[in-house]
Amino acid sequence: MSQAAYQRVTQRLSRIGALGEAAAVLHWDASTMMPRGGGEARGEQLAALAGLSHELFTAPEMAADLAQATAEGEWQAANLELIRRSHARSAALSTELVEAAARANSACEKVWRDAKARSDFAAVRPYLEEVLRLQRETAQALSAVTGLSAYDALMESYQRGVTAAEIEPIFDAYEVFLREALPRAEEIQAKRGTPIPLTGPFPVGKQRELCRSLSLRIGLEADHSRLDESLHPFCGGTPTDVRITTFYSEADPAKALLGVLHETGHALYERGLPESYARQPVGEAAGMAAHESQSLIVEMQASRSDAFLSFLGPQLQAAYGGDPAAYAVQNLAGLWRHVSRGFIRVDADELTYPAHVILRFRLERAMIEGRLAVADLPGAWAEGLNSLLGITPPDDARGCLQDIHWHDGGFGYFPSYTLGAMAAAQLMKAARAATPGLDAALAQGDMAPLLGWLRKKVHSQGSRLGFQDLLRAATGKPLDPQDFQQHLTARYLVEA
Amino acid sequence: MSQAAYQRVTQRLSRIGALGEAAAVLHWDASTMMPRGGGEARGEQLAALAGLSHELFTAPEMAADLAQATAEGEWQAANLELIRRSHARSAALSTELVEAAARANSACEKVWRDAKARSDFAAVRPYLEEVLRLQRETAQALSAVTGLSAYDALMESYQRGVTAAEIEPIFDAYEVFLREALPRAEEIQAKRGTPIPLTGPFPVGKQRELCRSLSLRIGLEADHSRLDESLHPFCGGTPTDVRITTFYSEADPAKALLGVLHETGHALYERGLPESYARQPVGEAAGMAAHESQSLIVEMQASRSDAFLSFLGPQLQAAYGGDPAAYAVQNLAGLWRHVSRGFIRVDADELTYPAHVILRFRLERAMIEGRLAVADLPGAWAEGLNSLLGITPPDDARGCLQDIHWHDGGFGYFPSYTLGAMAAAQLMKAARAATPGLDAALAQGDMAPLLGWLRKKVHSQGSRLGFQDLLRAATGKPLDPQDFQQHLTARYLVEA
């Protein structure tokens, strides 16, 4: 057993990490800067980086060193454990299976783009069946080396440290909560009347300037970040060079504004990761649910709070002019905290969003466990949505064809969204309790107190802890959906 | 001997080529997009790519396959020969020497930036001595495997297929030509009187638009190119995604305009390389002198011709307004074909530029051959410049400290500039002879006839041929400085 072997392992991981960073910049570039004609060569570049990373990770010397390596201290131990687990997962999957899955995902995703436009589930069905078959095979193989259930083994790729058995009762309880909460929220909303719409013009140049300055104001550093435009907003780049994107609509400044605040939450997490473990697994974010908790704590918890809206309103009014009453806190709240039963997940509000996720969690788990056939998906979807939200999608485009995830092989990802939303509420409550003046600061557009707490409790922890352990260490308890329900109750279920 | 081995070799080269493309995009990004704080990580990313490329190229399997490989046809043969030559050059240099040189170059370059600002040659001298020592050691090692002289072995890194013995008489003859030509050009210029200056404003937005549209007009495709801004203009990216940069001055639209035309010449070369040999050495440009010939044929030969200026003038007048007389052909010629004896190479005109290069060629060759010590460089520089242009630099900042090249280990590069300028004149003459209507098209802002000829004779040839052979195949003769002198005579030595 040897520390020298540990050092060799981490040196190899640093190199793989640097290739991953290169790929991240190239991905960002492909979505923001690259002329269309560069696409094919970009594919070659990314394939070469992915192939070399895989070869470095699965080289015989790596296995030998991993067997010998010993860690010193808690962080090294966590890092080594993460590397060993990832190595075991890689080793469990044959090159043939990985390549077959990549091919099937790519083929299905391509057909899906068209099929979604025409709402043609039959066209995508055989492709999705093949994707599912290979995902189930992958899940079995991962289950065998991890000791997790098949579904949990897939979910671990996105979020470590939480199981479907823990999620199921939480989601079931939310369904019960929503059954009463949704009609009540709609009733209160109706009583409040229609908010005054913001009237433009909202020139893109001004929106860009405002979004960037807000992003910097709440904690992103100009020297370590960019804000650009892409069709689908994302947070990319690397921890010392985070790159967020948005899409501006001349008609509605809220989309880009709240979107940028959301991506800034992701970006702040990346910026706060422990530098001394850069390019090591333990230095990365703790998973997708953890990541989503950081975007949502900024966007949903902090930015849509009365306190922050009281700061934001006058900023917007100064930038765009128009009726000052439209920028009053309660009016912005009426516009940006509006509840409605819709078919589309990405357009959903905070209260109904979990219903969309619960539906997908149940369906994808049933598919992975062999309890639901792809052929029966549209029917199960319609039934499930109706039971959760009381509405039935008019077609599959607004039903089971709406999301890319399954069609690209992404089974096990969906829970992250709602785990993140719930964790955000739980973290916000703990941050408030520990940080007097947090809301007074928000009312000044100052997120420093909140960010300071998150830096300490979440960002600087890297992925030393899994999801539940991270929450335990930060808030004293594992995921507790009561905090989220309390938040929703205060925001949507109390008459002003 | 086997074709299968050749295929394995080229597959490995494709992968190395893809890593090289990734690095090219990351370099572009670092100069145009990257926030400052990303610099350190970018260094790690580029180092990982360079290190892996080197390992792939020098892996034992590579040497074994190279020994076995057989080529089919002329292109494969040229490709294999290029790979073998490059492999032999790599093998000739120990890892210690390569790393020591990289460290010395980096240390010297850093000190040089400061020393140049303070015109302090003494500060940089010991660093440059170390750089030179390692360059001489490198040159000896390369000389041993290539059979070239030490200086030629260094020059081969930048431009294959031409020797110092061929260059020397050409440069000596130019010195003789210049001795008469320069005073005569100055005399004619003085008679013509001072041209009318262009008066602004020249808003950056308009300049950007005009530069981009001109770049596209003369043959670059929007789907395969970008135009951005950086401190030092360059042409980067990859052949299907070429990225040129410029720097806009609100006071003078000519700098960016002519700079973009120059970089477009480079970009068109990259776009015209043989796609079927993408990511193979034989599919790359034929060297730095060949590359410079393509930027200069567009910028100097075509764009500054009376014909093209007659098209350009009205375009500029329409964009910026002001006195129409300032945009007349002869006035633009007076502004943009102005001859003057200056200290700075990058500011030099077409006629005196070679003098700056000849000076550097003689000095760097003497340093590599041990005939000139670094300590004697400032004196030799002053003397040499005085002998060539009749002026003496007032300080070393405007003398031997002005260029980065030597201070970053770039010995053997300088001749490329003037070889390129001479080749551009020779190619232009041949293109004109073969293409009736070439100048009539230029007068319409149409470079298609010229580009068509270059595509066939230069671009599509990749690096199948070395510099002299490329010229022989395209023009029927090796580099012939008479064509350049004829061009200069017609442009600068004939009274209008």
Short mmCIF file of all heavy atoms in Angstrom, two decimals, chain A residues 61-100:
data_model
loop_
_atom_site.label_atom_id
_atom_site.label_comp_id
_atom_site.label_asym_id
_atom_site.label_seq_id
_atom_site.Cartn_x
_atom_site.Cartn_y
_atom_site.Cartn_z
N GLU A 61 -1.89 0.51 -15.74
CA GLU A 61 -1.15 1.15 -14.64
C GLU A 61 -2.12 1.77 -13.63
O GLU A 61 -1.83 1.85 -12.44
CB GLU A 61 -0.25 2.28 -15.14
CG GLU A 61 0.68 1.94 -16.27
CD GLU A 61 0.04 2.20 -17.62
OE1 GLU A 61 -0.88 1.42 -18.00
OE2 GLU A 61 0.45 3.16 -18.29
N MET A 62 -3.25 2.26 -14.14
CA MET A 62 -4.22 2.90 -13.26
C MET A 62 -4.80 1.87 -12.28
O MET A 62 -4.87 2.12 -11.08
CB MET A 62 -5.34 3.49 -14.14
CG MET A 62 -6.37 4.25 -13.36
SD MET A 62 -5.69 5.84 -12.80
CE MET A 62 -7.20 6.60 -12.25
N ALA A 63 -5.19 0.73 -12.81
CA ALA A 63 -5.75 -0.32 -11.95
C ALA A 63 -4.71 -0.75 -10.92
O ALA A 63 -5.03 -0.92 -9.73
CB ALA A 63 -6.20 -1.50 -12.81
N ALA A 64 -3.48 -0.90 -11.36
CA ALA A 64 -2.42 -1.34 -10.45
C ALA A 64 -2.20 -0.31 -9.34
O ALA A 64 -2.13 -0.66 -8.16
CB ALA A 64 -1.12 -1.55 -11.24
N ASP A 65 -2.13 0.96 -9.72
CA ASP A 65 -1.92 2.01 -8.71
C ASP A 65 -3.13 2.13 -7.78
O ASP A 65 -2.97 2.36 -6.58
CB ASP A 65 -1.64 3.35 -9.40
CG ASP A 65 -0.20 3.45 -9.87
OD1 ASP A 65 0.66 2.77 -9.28
OD2 ASP A 65 0.06 4.22 -10.83
N LEU A 66 -4.32 1.99 -8.34
CA LEU A 66 -5.52 2.09 -7.50
C LEU A 66 -5.53 0.99 -6.44
O LEU A 66 -5.96 1.20 -5.30
CB LEU A 66 -6.78 1.98 -8.35
CG LEU A 66 -7.41 3.30 -8.81
CD1 LEU A 66 -8.68 3.01 -9.60
CD2 LEU A 66 -7.72 4.21 -7.62
N ALA A 67 -5.05 -0.18 -6.83
CA ALA A 67 -5.03 -1.30 -5.87
C ALA A 67 -4.04 -1.01 -4.74
O ALA A 67 -4.25 -1.42 -3.59
CB ALA A 67 -4.66 -2.59 -6.60
N GLN A 68 -2.97 -0.29 -5.05
CA GLN A 68 -1.90 -0.01 -4.08
C GLN A 68 -2.14 1.25 -3.26
O GLN A 68 -1.57 1.41 -2.18
CB GLN A 68 -0.59 0.22 -4.85
CG GLN A 68 0.04 -1.03 -5.44
CD GLN A 68 0.55 -1.93 -4.35
OE1 GLN A 68 1.16 -1.47 -3.38
NE2 GLN A 68 0.26 -3.22 -4.45
N ALA A 69 -2.93 2.17 -3.80
CA ALA A 69 -2.97 3.53 -3.24
C ALA A 69 -3.54 3.58 -1.83
O ALA A 69 -4.48 2.87 -1.49
CB ALA A 69 -3.80 4.42 -4.15
N THR A 70 -2.92 4.41 -1.00
CA THR A 70 -3.48 4.69 0.32
C THR A 70 -3.64 6.20 0.46
O THR A 70 -2.83 6.98 -0.05
CB THR A 70 -2.53 4.21 1.45
OG1 THR A 70 -1.25 4.80 1.23
CG2 THR A 70 -2.42 2.71 1.47
N ALA A 71 -4.70 6.57 1.17
CA ALA A 71 -5.03 7.99 1.31
C ALA A 71 -4.63 8.50 2.68
O ALA A 71 -4.61 7.75 3.65
CB ALA A 71 -6.52 8.19 1.10
N GLU A 72 -4.29 9.77 2.75
CA GLU A 72 -4.00 10.42 4.05
C GLU A 72 -5.06 11.47 4.31
O GLU A 72 -5.20 12.42 3.55
CB GLU A 72 -2.62 11.08 3.99
CG GLU A 72 -1.49 10.08 4.13
CD GLU A 72 -0.11 10.71 4.00
OE1 GLU A 72 -0.04 11.95 3.88
OE2 GLU A 72 0.88 9.96 4.00
N GLY A 73 -5.79 11.31 5.38
CA GLY A 73 -6.80 12.31 5.72
C GLY A 73 -8.12 12.09 5.01
O GLY A 73 -8.22 11.31 4.06
N GLU A 74 -9.12 12.84 5.49
CA GLU A 74 -10.49 12.63 5.06
C GLU A 74 -10.70 12.95 3.58
O GLU A 74 -11.39 12.23 2.86
CB GLU A 74 -11.38 13.55 5.91
CG GLU A 74 -12.83 13.21 5.87
CD GLU A 74 -13.65 14.30 6.55
OE1 GLU A 74 -13.05 15.22 7.17
OE2 GLU A 74 -14.88 14.25 6.44
N TRP A 75 -10.10 14.06 3.13
CA TRP A 75 -10.31 14.47 1.74
C TRP A 75 -9.68 13.49 0.76
O TRP A 75 -10.30 13.10 -0.22
CB TRP A 75 -9.76 15.88 1.51
CG TRP A 75 -10.71 16.94 1.99
CD1 TRP A 75 -10.85 17.41 3.25
CD2 TRP A 75 -11.68 17.64 1.19
NE1 TRP A 75 -11.84 18.35 3.31
CE2 TRP A 75 -12.36 18.52 2.05
CE3 TRP A 75 -12.02 17.62 -0.15
CZ2 TRP A 75 -13.38 19.37 1.61
CZ3 TRP A 75 -13.02 18.46 -0.61
CH2 TRP A 75 -13.70 19.32 0.27
N GLN A 76 -8.45 13.11 1.03
CA GLN A 76 -7.80 12.12 0.16
C GLN A 76 -8.61 10.83 0.15
O GLN A 76 -8.79 10.20 -0.89
CB GLN A 76 -6.38 11.83 0.63
CG GLN A 76 -5.36 12.90 0.24
CD GLN A 76 -3.92 12.41 0.38
OE1 GLN A 76 -3.67 11.25 0.66
NE2 GLN A 76 -2.97 13.32 0.18
N ALA A 77 -9.09 10.43 1.33
CA ALA A 77 -9.86 9.19 1.42
C ALA A 77 -11.13 9.27 0.56
O ALA A 77 -11.47 8.34 -0.17
CB ALA A 77 -10.22 8.89 2.88
N ALA A 78 -11.81 10.41 0.66
CA ALA A 78 -13.03 10.59 -0.13
C ALA A 78 -12.69 10.58 -1.61
O ALA A 78 -13.41 9.99 -2.43
CB ALA A 78 -13.72 11.89 0.25
N ASN A 79 -11.59 11.24 -1.97
CA ASN A 79 -11.18 11.30 -3.38
C ASN A 79 -10.90 9.90 -3.90
O ASN A 79 -11.38 9.49 -4.96
CB ASN A 79 -9.94 12.18 -3.50
CG ASN A 79 -9.67 12.62 -4.93
OD1 ASN A 79 -10.61 12.82 -5.71
ND2 ASN A 79 -8.41 12.75 -5.29
N LEU A 80 -10.11 9.15 -3.13
CA LEU A 80 -9.74 7.79 -3.54
C LEU A 80 -10.98 6.92 -3.68
O LEU A 80 -11.12 6.14 -4.65
CB LEU A 80 -8.76 7.20 -2.54
CG LEU A 80 -8.13 5.85 -2.90
CD1 LEU A 80 -7.46 5.91 -4.27
CD2 LEU A 80 -7.12 5.42 -1.84
N GLU A 81 -11.90 7.05 -2.76
CA GLU A 81 -13.13 6.27 -2.80
C GLU A 81 -13.94 6.60 -4.06
O GLU A 81 -14.45 5.71 -4.75
CB GLU A 81 -13.96 6.54 -1.53
CG GLU A 81 -15.36 5.96 -1.51
CD GLU A 81 -15.38 4.44 -1.68
OE1 GLU A 81 -14.35 3.81 -1.39
OE2 GLU A 81 -16.41 3.92 -2.15
N LEU A 82 -14.02 7.88 -4.38
CA LEU A 82 -14.74 8.30 -5.59
C LEU A 82 -14.08 7.73 -6.85
O LEU A 82 -14.75 7.27 -7.77
CB LEU A 82 -14.79 9.83 -5.70
CG LEU A 82 -15.76 10.55 -4.77
CD1 LEU A 82 -15.51 12.05 -4.80
CD2 LEU A 82 -17.20 10.24 -5.17
N ILE A 83 -12.75 7.78 -6.86
CA ILE A 83 -12.04 7.28 -8.04
C ILE A 83 -12.24 5.77 -8.17
O ILE A 83 -12.51 5.25 -9.24
CB ILE A 83 -10.54 7.63 -7.96
CG1 ILE A 83 -10.34 9.16 -7.91
CG2 ILE A 83 -9.78 7.05 -9.15
CD1 ILE A 83 -8.92 9.60 -7.58
N ARG A 84 -12.13 5.07 -7.03
CA ARG A 84 -12.29 3.61 -7.07
C ARG A 84 -13.69 3.23 -7.54
O ARG A 84 -13.87 2.31 -8.32
CB ARG A 84 -12.03 3.01 -5.70
CG ARG A 84 -10.55 2.93 -5.37
CD ARG A 84 -10.28 2.08 -4.15
NE ARG A 84 -8.84 1.84 -4.03
CZ ARG A 84 -8.14 1.98 -2.90
NH1 ARG A 84 -8.75 2.35 -1.77
NH2 ARG A 84 -6.85 1.74 -2.89
N ARG A 85 -14.68 3.97 -7.03
CA ARG A 85 -16.05 3.66 -7.40
C ARG A 85 -16.27 3.90 -8.91
O ARG A 85 -16.87 3.09 -9.60
CB ARG A 85 -16.99 4.55 -6.59
CG ARG A 85 -18.40 4.00 -6.51
CD ARG A 85 -19.20 4.64 -5.39
NE ARG A 85 -20.57 4.16 -5.45
CZ ARG A 85 -21.03 3.13 -4.75
NH1 ARG A 85 -20.23 2.47 -3.93
NH2 ARG A 85 -22.28 2.76 -4.88
N SER A 86 -15.76 5.01 -9.36
CA SER A 86 -15.91 5.35 -10.76
C SER A 86 -15.16 4.33 -11.64
O SER A 86 -15.65 3.92 -12.70
CB SER A 86 -15.36 6.76 -10.97
OG SER A 86 -15.29 7.08 -12.31
N HIS A 87 -14.00 3.92 -11.17
CA HIS A 87 -13.21 2.93 -11.89
C HIS A 87 -13.95 1.59 -11.95
O HIS A 87 -14.01 0.95 -13.01
CB HIS A 87 -11.86 2.76 -11.20
CG HIS A 87 -10.82 2.11 -12.06
ND1 HIS A 87 -10.49 0.78 -11.95
CD2 HIS A 87 -10.06 2.59 -13.07
CE1 HIS A 87 -9.55 0.48 -12.84
NE2 HIS A 87 -9.28 1.57 -13.54
N ALA A 88 -14.54 1.20 -10.84
CA ALA A 88 -15.30 -0.06 -10.81
C ALA A 88 -16.49 0.03 -11.75
O ALA A 88 -16.81 -0.93 -12.47
CB ALA A 88 -15.77 -0.36 -9.38
N ARG A 89 -17.15 1.17 -11.76
CA ARG A 89 -18.29 1.36 -12.68
C ARG A 89 -17.84 1.27 -14.13
O ARG A 89 -18.49 0.62 -14.95
CB ARG A 89 -19.00 2.69 -12.40
CG ARG A 89 -19.77 2.73 -11.07
CD ARG A 89 -20.31 4.13 -10.75
NE ARG A 89 -21.18 4.61 -11.80
CZ ARG A 89 -22.52 4.57 -11.77
NH1 ARG A 89 -23.13 4.09 -10.69
NH2 ARG A 89 -23.24 5.01 -12.77
N SER A 90 -16.73 1.91 -14.44
CA SER A 90 -16.20 1.84 -15.81
C SER A 90 -15.86 0.41 -16.19
O SER A 90 -16.18 -0.04 -17.29
CB SER A 90 -14.92 2.67 -15.93
OG SER A 90 -15.22 4.01 -16.10
N ALA A 91 -15.19 -0.26 -15.27
CA ALA A 91 -14.75 -1.63 -15.56
C ALA A 91 -15.95 -2.56 -15.75
O ALA A 91 -15.86 -3.56 -16.46
CB ALA A 91 -13.85 -2.14 -14.45
N ALA A 92 -17.07 -2.23 -15.12
CA ALA A 92 -18.24 -3.08 -15.21
C ALA A 92 -18.90 -3.03 -16.59
O ALA A 92 -19.68 -3.92 -16.94
CB ALA A 92 -19.26 -2.68 -14.14
N LEU A 93 -18.59 -1.98 -17.33
CA LEU A 93 -19.24 -1.81 -18.63
C LEU A 93 -18.28 -2.14 -19.76
O LEU A 93 -17.20 -1.56 -19.86
CB LEU A 93 -19.73 -0.36 -18.78
CG LEU A 93 -20.64 0.15 -17.66
CD1 LEU A 93 -20.98 1.62 -17.87
CD2 LEU A 93 -21.90 -0.69 -17.56
N SER A 94 -18.66 -3.10 -20.58
CA SER A 94 -17.79 -3.47 -21.70
C SER A 94 -17.78 -2.33 -22.72
O SER A 94 -18.73 -1.56 -22.82
CB SER A 94 -18.30 -4.74 -22.38
OG SER A 94 -19.53 -4.46 -23.04
N THR A 95 -16.67 -2.25 -23.45
CA THR A 95 -16.58 -1.25 -24.52
C THR A 95 -17.73 -1.41 -25.49
O THR A 95 -18.30 -0.42 -25.97
CB THR A 95 -15.24 -1.41 -25.27
OG1 THR A 95 -14.19 -1.43 -24.31
CG2 THR A 95 -15.01 -0.26 -26.24
N GLU A 96 -18.11 -2.66 -25.78
CA GLU A 96 -19.21 -2.91 -26.72
C GLU A 96 -20.51 -2.28 -26.22
O GLU A 96 -21.24 -1.65 -26.97
CB GLU A 96 -19.45 -4.43 -26.92
CG GLU A 96 -18.32 -5.15 -27.62
CD GLU A 96 -17.08 -5.31 -26.74
OE1 GLU A 96 -17.24 -5.57 -25.52
OE2 GLU A 96 -15.96 -5.12 -27.25
N LEU A 97 -20.78 -2.48 -24.91
CA LEU A 97 -22.02 -1.94 -24.36
C LEU A 97 -22.01 -0.41 -24.40
O LEU A 97 -22.99 0.23 -24.80
CB LEU A 97 -22.22 -2.44 -22.92
CG LEU A 97 -23.45 -1.91 -22.18
CD1 LEU A 97 -24.73 -2.20 -22.94
CD2 LEU A 97 -23.53 -2.50 -20.76
N VAL A 98 -20.88 0.18 -24.01
CA VAL A 98 -20.78 1.64 -23.99
C VAL A 98 -20.98 2.21 -25.40
O VAL A 98 -21.73 3.17 -25.61
CB VAL A 98 -19.41 2.09 -23.41
CG1 VAL A 98 -19.20 3.58 -23.60
CG2 VAL A 98 -19.32 1.70 -21.94
N GLU A 99 -20.33 1.56 -26.36
CA GLU A 99 -20.45 2.06 -27.72
C GLU A 99 -21.84 1.84 -28.30
O GLU A 99 -22.39 2.71 -28.98
CB GLU A 99 -19.38 1.41 -28.62
CG GLU A 99 -18.00 1.97 -28.34
CD GLU A 99 -16.91 1.34 -29.17
OE1 GLU A 99 -17.23 0.46 -30.02
OE2 GLU A 99 -15.74 1.71 -28.98
N ALA A 100 -22.44 0.68 -27.99
CA ALA A 100 -23.80 0.40 -28.48
C ALA A 100 -24.78 1.41 -27.89
O ALA A 100 -25.67 1.92 -28.58
CB ALA A 100 -24.21 -1.02 -28.11
#
